[in-house]
Amino acid sequence: MIEVEVDNRSGREVDETAAAEVARAVLAGEGIDAGELGLAFVEPEESRTLKREHLGIDEATDALAFPIDGLGALPEGVPRQLGDIVVCPDVVGEEWRGPLVHALLHLVGYDHGPEMEAREAEYSA
């Protein structure tokens, strides 16, 4: 099972149950059936700080992905630490699902391009 720990520190109401369900559905669609994922909804300043510190760009952003284990083989009995996703509702507005899917695909190794766009379209249908 995929364990999703949701932390909403954005100051906005977010459907945390739906967010966890979206995350599980995308990860299952990518062949991941077990692991741990952190999902945080944050305020713009935290988003800006993270993007500046990790990407060198000083602006708030919609979503960021911080992968840990990737999809490589792990020793038996070691739980997969998928990583963390950070979404900023003030940047994305009410529609956080698209940026969440985008970040999840980055988390599992997709880069921008046609393949990622096709996967995003599939999960948006």
Side-chain angles (χ1 to χ4, degrees):
M1 170 164 206
I2 297 171
E3 297 293 328
V4 181
E5 182 179 324
V6 181
D7 181 11
N8 184 3
R9 50 186 188 264
S10 70
R12 288 189 171 226
E13 189 170 318
V14 176
D15 187 342
E16 295 177 20
T17 301
E21 289 172 2
V22 167
R24 285 187 189 101
V26 170
L27 293 169
E30 295 302 313
I32 301 168
D33 58 4
E36 298 174 2
L37 171 72
L39 173 57
F41 290 92
V42 302
E43 293 182 341
E45 192 53 43
E46 184 174 352
S47 170
R48 170 185 230 108
T49 298
L50 289 167
K51 189 168 185 178
R52 182 177 55 244
E53 289 175 357
H54 295 277
L55 298 176
I57 301 170
D58 189 20
E59 66 183 16
T61 192
D62 53 358
L64 294 165
F66 299 96
I68 296 177
D69 284 338
L71 299 180
L74 293 174
E76 190 166 332
V78 174
R80 182 170 303 283
Q81 300 293 316
L82 295 163
D84 295 306
I85 301 290
V86 177
V87 178
C88 182
D90 282 348
V91 173
V92 299
E94 296 297 317
E95 188 42 56
W96 47 263
R97 287 165 182 83
L100 174 58
V101 168
H102 185 88
L104 286 161
L105 291 172
H106 276 309
L107 195 74
V108 298
Y110 286 91
D111 289 322
H112 292 138
E115 187 177 8
M116 184 174 190
E117 291 170 10
R119 301 304 292 157
E120 285 178 305
E122 181 179 321
Y123 294 119
S124 298

